C-alpha cells in the first residue's frame, strides 16, 4: 500500500499523472485477510472458489475521464488487459498469435454493459511442475461457475457458492466441460515446451538466477522463509528434511545459451545484495507493518558448505572449495550454444543442496 502511494506521488511530481493510465489489481484472492473480511466469498488464495481468484481492477486516467466512480460488473480476466491496452492506444500487436482475451475498451468508456456477448473463461491453481487436468479449476461465465469439472454454482443467487446445482443443469455442465476440454487440448502440447532463461543475450549480458525458478518435482524455494531455512531436497524415505547428510539436489535451471563463449558463473548461498558469506547465517529482518510474521523475520540458517560443484546437463564441470569468508564461488567455463540444464550445488555434510542464487556473465 505504501509503495502504491509512492508511485502515484511520483507520477504527480513528474507531471504525468493526468495522462497516465494507472491500473491496480492483484494476482490472487486474499490470504490471511480472509479471516477478517472476504465479502462472503468462499475460499482464499490458491482456491478454485471465488475467494481465490476474484480480485479488484481499478483504472485511473483523468485525461480520458476515468477519474470518477464507475462500477462495471461484466466478467473479465487478466488475459483481457493486453488487448485492452493495445486498443486504447490504437496499437497493433507485434505477433499474429491470437489473444485469449479481448479488449474491454468499449465497456470501460461506454455507458453500460450492454451488447456484450457472454463467454467462458478459465482459471486454475496448479502449483505443480506438470499441469493436471481439472486441478483446482473454475470455468466461468457471467452467471455460472463450474468448479473442478463437477460442481456448478449460480452466482447471482448464490455468491458464496454454497449450493451445488450441477444435477439440475446437466446441459450447462456439459457445455462448460466441453469448453474446458477444448481449452485443455489447445494448451496440452505446450506443456513439454520448457520456458528457458536466456544466457549471453545482447540485451542482458548478466543474468541473476534464483531458486524460485528451479525445475523439479517438489515445490522449489519460492519465498525468503524457504531460502533462509535452507529448503532442500531429501529422499522420500528420509525422516528429517533438516538433515543435510542425505540431501540430493534434484532441480535445475533451464537455460538457453544464445551466444557461445566464455562465461563467469558466480554461485551464491545468499542474494548478492545481502553481501554475506556462503557459510554464514543471516540475521532476521524487520517485520512488515500489519503482518503477523513476514518471511524475512526468519533467521537465515548457516550451511557448512565444504565445496561447490558446477553441474551442466548432469555432468560435473568443476569443483572448488568454499572458504569461511567466501561470498561466492566463481567458475569460468566455455558454454556451447543451445539448451542446457544448469544446476550448481554446495556439498554439505556428505549431501548436497542447490545454490539458491547464481550470477551468469558473458565475458
Amino acid at each position: 500500500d505504501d509503495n502504491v502511494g509512492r508511485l502515484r506521488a511520483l507520477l504527480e511530481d513528474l507531471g504525468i499523472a493526468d495522462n497516465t493510465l494507472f491500473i491496480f489489481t492483484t494476482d490472487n484472492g486474499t490470504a490471511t485477510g480472509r479471516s477478517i473480511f472476504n465479502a462472503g466469498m468462499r475460499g482464499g488464495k490458491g482456491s478454485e472458489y471465488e475467494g481465490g481468484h476474484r480480485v479488484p481492477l481499478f483504472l485511473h486516467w483523468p485525461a480520458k475521464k476515468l477519474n470518477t466512480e464507475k462500477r462495471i460488473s461484466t466478467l473479465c480476466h487478466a488475459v483481457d488487459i493486453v488487448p485492452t491496452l493495445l486498443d486504447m492506444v490504437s496499437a497493433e500487436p507485434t505477433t499474429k498469435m491470437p489473444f485469449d482475451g479481448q479488449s474491454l475498451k468499449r465497456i470501460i468508456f461506454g455507458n453500460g454493459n450492454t451488447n456484450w456477448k457472454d463467454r467462458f473463461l478459465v482459471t486454475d491453481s496448479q502449483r505443480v511442475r506438470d499441469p493436471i487436468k481439472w486441478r483446482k479449476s473454475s470455468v466461468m461465465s457471467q452467471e455460472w461457475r463450474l468448479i473442478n469439472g463437477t460442481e456448478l454454482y449460480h452466482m447471482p443467487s448464490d455468491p458464496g457458492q454454497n449450493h451445488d446445482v450441477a444435477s439440475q443443469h446437466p446441459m450447462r455442465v456439459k457445455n462448460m466441460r466441453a469448453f474446458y476440454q477444448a481449452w485443455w487440448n489447445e494448451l496440452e502440447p505446450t506443456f513439454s515446451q520448457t520456458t528457458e532463461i536466456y544466457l549471453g543475450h545482447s540485451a542482458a549480458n548478466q543474468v541473476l538466477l534464483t531458486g524460485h525458478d528451479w525445475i523439479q518435482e517438489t515445490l522449489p524455494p519460492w519465498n525468503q522463509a524457504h531460502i533462509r531455512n535452507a529448503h532442500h531436497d531429501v529422499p522420500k524415505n528420509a525422516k528429517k528434511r533438516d538433515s543435510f547428510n542425505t540431501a540430493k539436489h534434484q532441480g535445475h535451471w533451464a537455460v538457453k545459451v544464445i551466444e557461445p563463449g566464455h562465461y563467469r558463473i558466480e554461485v551464491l548461498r545468499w542474494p548478492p545484495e545481502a553481501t554475506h558469506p556462503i557459510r554464514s547465517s543471516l540475521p532476521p529482518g524487520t517485520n512488515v507493518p500489519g503482518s503477523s510474521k513476514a518471511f524475512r523475520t526468519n533467521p537465515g540458517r548457516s550451511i557448512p558448505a565444504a565445496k561447490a560443484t558446477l553441474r551442466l546437463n548432469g555432468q560435473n564441470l568443476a569443483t572448488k572449495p568454499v572458504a569461511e569468508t567466501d561470498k561466492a564461488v566463481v567458475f569460468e567455463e566455455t558454454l556451447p550454444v543451445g539448451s542446457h540444464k544448469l544446476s550448481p550445488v554446495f556439498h554439505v555434510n556428505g549431501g548436497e543442496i542447490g545454490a539458491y542464487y547464481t550470477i551468469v556473465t558473458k565475458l
Side-chain angles (χ1 to χ4, degrees), residues 30 63 100 150-151 161 185 244 247 258 265 269 273 306 308 322-323:
T30 184
D100 290 319
T150 60
E151 303 171 24
Q161 295 174 291
N185 290 344
F244 294 129
I258 302 299
I265 303 171
R269 158 71 172 102
E273 61 269 22
V322 178

Side-chain angles (χ1 to χ4, degrees), residues 26-35 37-38 41-55 123-127 135-136 212 219 222-223 226 295:
T26 63
D27 62 338
N28 50 246
T30 184
T32 55
R34 63 183 292 192
S35 61
F37 177 75
N38 205 25
M41 294 185 293
R42 180 175 175 179
K45 179 180 178 178
S47 170
E48 59 270 49
Y49 296 98
E50 205 77 352
H53 53 82
R54 182 170 180 171
V55 297
T123 186
D124 63 11
S125 181
Q126 293 284 343
R127 287 182 173 264
R135 175 180 167 81
K136 300 178 78 66
H212 184 282
L219 191 69
W222 61 271
N223 64 49
H226 291 155
F295 290 143

